[in-house]
């Protein structure tokens, strides 16, 4: 059984990440995470994904409570991707969908 957890595409939320709880009724495997990068601050984005046992609530500001590093990688802005300086401030939705390339390692 495959299901998705979705979130907003709204810009300007002030967020630099997302926190969510998963309560699994049986063994669970996360097979991927899609990210929509704004690329407003540079051509590379460091991606860190952490996990912890129990809820995130009340622990969001304590790095010692996040012992499980799941992902630590850098993604790169695709060539010819929207440039806010020359193309204007709004990134078309279709461009957002292709906004990251994970490097081969």
């Amino acid at each position: 059984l495959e299901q998705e957890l979705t979130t907003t595409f709204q810009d300007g939320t002030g967020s630099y990440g997302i926190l969510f709880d998963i309560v699994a009724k049986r063994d669970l495997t996360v097979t991927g995470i899609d990210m929509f990068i704004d690329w407003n601050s540079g051509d590379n984005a460091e991606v860190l994904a952490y996990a912890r046992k129990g809820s995130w609530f009340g622990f969001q500001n304590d790095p010692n409570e996040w012992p499980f590093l799941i992902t630590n990688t850098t993604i790169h802005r695709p060539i010819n991707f929207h440039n806010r300086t020359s193309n204007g401030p709004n990134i078309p939705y279709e461009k957002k969908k292709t906004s990251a390339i994970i490097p081969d390692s």
Side-chain angles (χ1 to χ4, degrees), residues 28-64:
L28 171 75
T29 302
V30 176
T31 59
I33 298 174
D34 292 335
M35 293 173 286
F36 293 86
I37 308 295
D38 195 346
W39 297 119
N40 193 31
S41 60
D43 292 335
N44 301 309
E46 185 177 1
V47 177
L48 300 168
Y50 289 92
R52 69 178 313 277
K53 290 184 180 182
S55 178
W56 65 268
F57 190 76
F59 300 99
Q60 62 269 29
N61 296 317
D62 187 349
N64 295 320

